[in-house]
Amino acid sequence: MALQESTPKAQFRRTAEFHPSVWGDHFIKKAPCDESAVAHLVSPLADKVGHALKRPLLKGVPKHEQWHHILIYKQDEACPGAVLKLAKLDFNVLQKCYQDELRIISRWDTSMEDLPDYMKLFFEALIGFFDEIEQETAKEGRPYCLHYCREMLKNQARAYLTEARWFNQDCVPQLEEYRRAGLYTSCYPMAAVAWLCGLPETGSKEAFEWMFKNPKIVVASSDIGRLMDDIKSHEFEQERGHVASAVECCMKQYGASKEEAYDMLSKMVESDWKDINEELLKPSTVPRQILILMLNLARIIDVMYKDYDGYTEARNTTKEMLTAFLVDPLPLVA
């Protein structure tokens, strides 16, 4: 039987937005995601379905999803109390780790006198970061880590310099040219290389070499980061003076309206998600942990930027997530 001729129940399962399909839109179409989809349900089932429609499992930050589901399952009388308590304990232990890490990285109290004030803290932290990488990776017999970290930082700096030239020349580049620079200005390759430096078992020389070849999952994750940021923040950034974003590039190149540009770029983001999904499904030459890292970077941008620029405006989702991770522990009784 053809896939299109499946039973209504099976067809609904295929059309629900669980994750982007690697087989294209012919196989999976998005179901409408509105209040009518859960209007006939009651809590906690309505909360579960509503959250799943808004945040497909693949796109959710795992621990943030755990926090959401703990709150939902608190309403479910069928949920075993011991299991719920264990889940809360697990989350609170992680929160304590995050608090300790935040306390450590907040202790920078010196500055570089010759730099502008806004750069002093950053540069001091950067120097300390590279020194620590050099010392720790040398002990582990991985002296090559610092080389790759420096080279990726150079790639990022070159991309920033390219954008600075575009800005100073009042240039709106071709969209694909902008996206190539955006691979690095997204900061995701730099973040991934820094992460590899901290994992002796995973951060082999072969893993770094793989990263520098810009494999599909790295490009897709970085492109998601760049494009979603641009879609939600370009108006604010253009008001204060900023290089043309993907939105302006798209509008100029294709003669598109702002809304049409949003739609085109959003389709590119969905295509990137399909690439990520495809890379996760097929065999890889690097440990799966590295693939999951790139998935997690894409996840965080989807959580922060899906509805608004959650980095610039720390409200709603951003405030909720930071409060959950860093401030309020889950009560064990209640």
Side-chain angles (χ1 to χ4, degrees):
M1 179 183 292
L3 292 174
Q4 301 96 308
E5 298 171 357
S6 303
T7 62
K9 181 177 181 181
Q11 187 63 29
F12 178 77
R13 287 177 59 80
R14 291 190 179 99
T15 58
E17 189 192 2
F18 294 114
H19 55 72
S21 166
V22 300
W23 298 281
D25 294 337
H26 179 71
F27 182 70
I28 292 185
K29 299 286 186 181
K30 288 185 181 179
C33 182
D34 55 37
E35 294 182 3
S36 64
V38 295
H40 63 290
L41 303 176
V42 296
S43 294
L45 182 58
D47 297 330
K48 295 176 187 177
V49 174
H51 183 71
L53 288 172
K54 179 177 176 59
R55 180 69 55 201
L57 187 60
L58 183 74
K59 295 183 179 181
V61 176
K63 282 298 176 181
H64 193 221
E65 291 301 294
Q66 178 186 348
W67 179 82
H68 268 295
H69 283 84
I70 287 174
L71 299 185
I72 291 174
Y73 277 97
K74 282 173 60 178
Q75 310 170 55
D76 191 344
E77 296 180 357
C79 179
V83 173
L84 187 60
K85 185 174 182 179
L86 184 61
K88 291 180 179 180
L89 283 169
D90 175 74
F91 188 88
N92 288 348
V93 168
L94 179 70
Q95 184 191 75
K96 185 64 170 64
C97 291
Y98 287 159
Q99 290 171 341
D100 290 342
E101 290 172 353
L102 184 62
R103 192 174 298 112
I104 292 170
I105 64 175
S106 299
R107 290 176 180 170
W108 297 98
D109 54 4
T110 57
S111 61
M112 308 294 287
E113 295 301 325
D114 294 332
L115 292 173
D117 289 342
Y118 72 91
M119 289 185 63
K120 289 178 181 178
L121 188 63
F122 169 78
F123 192 74
E124 184 81 3
L126 186 64
I127 294 298
F129 174 68
F130 278 114
D131 285 345
E132 186 175 350
I133 286 177
E134 186 173 28
Q135 294 169 14
E136 294 300 319
T137 56
K139 293 177 187 176
E140 299 163 356
R142 299 188 302 144
Y144 51 81
C145 289
L146 186 60
H147 164 73
Y148 288 109
C149 210
R150 284 173 172 166
E151 290 304 308
M152 189 58 80
L153 187 60
K154 290 178 185 177
N155 288 343
Q156 185 168 320
R158 292 187 190 104
Y160 283 145
L161 182 59
T162 296
E163 287 196 345
R165 290 197 186 105
W166 289 336
F167 176 74
N168 289 329
Q169 296 169 6
D170 197 23
C171 171
V172 181
Q174 293 284 294
L175 180 60
E176 286 309 309
E177 186 180 7
Y178 177 84
R179 290 173 76 184
R180 284 195 294 272
L183 169 64
Y184 299 107
T185 63
S186 71
C187 301
Y188 279 10
M190 184 69 234
V193 164
W195 179 83
L196 286 177
C197 290
L199 287 180
E201 300 82 6
T202 307
S204 64
K205 191 170 184 178
E206 292 73 20
F208 283 104
E209 289 290 337
W210 174 87
M211 185 72 67
F212 271 76
K213 292 177 182 176
N214 292 335
K216 184 184 286 188
I217 194 169
V218 173
V219 173
S221 179
S222 302
D223 197 45
I224 289 171
R226 182 70 278 152
L227 296 183
M228 289 196 71
D229 183 319
D230 285 2
I231 291 169
K232 296 301 181 183
S233 65
H234 81 101
E235 289 185 337
F236 163 75
E237 290 180 342
Q238 294 306 310
E239 286 176 0
R240 67 179 183 180
H242 198 277
V243 67
S245 74
V247 178
E248 283 72 40
C249 294
C250 189
M251 291 171 67
K252 180 179 179 181
Q253 184 172 341
Y254 298 103
S257 67
K258 182 173 64 175
E259 289 71 22
E260 289 171 335
Y262 290 164
D263 185 60
M264 292 173 66
L265 296 173
S266 295
K267 288 177 180 176
M268 294 174 191
V269 169
E270 285 302 308
S271 179
D272 287 328
W273 273 108
K274 292 174 184 178
D275 286 344
I276 289 177
N277 206 23
E278 181 180 15
E279 293 300 291
L280 291 171
L281 289 172
K282 71 181 187 181
S284 174
T285 59
V286 296
R288 185 169 178 81
Q289 195 174 12
I290 298 177
L291 304 183
I292 296 301
L293 164 67
M294 301 315 302
L295 168 62
N296 286 340
L297 289 172
R299 281 168 161 167
I300 191 65
I301 202 76
D302 191 85
V303 170
M304 294 285 283
Y305 282 84
K306 183 170 184 175
D307 298 320
Y308 65 97
D309 180 353
Y311 180 81
T312 302
E313 302 178 64
R315 57 182 172 85
N316 298 350
T317 301
T318 308
K319 186 175 180 180
E320 173 193 86
M321 185 162 59
L322 292 177
T323 301
F325 281 151
L326 300 172
V327 182
D328 296 335
L330 290 167
L332 300 182
V333 178

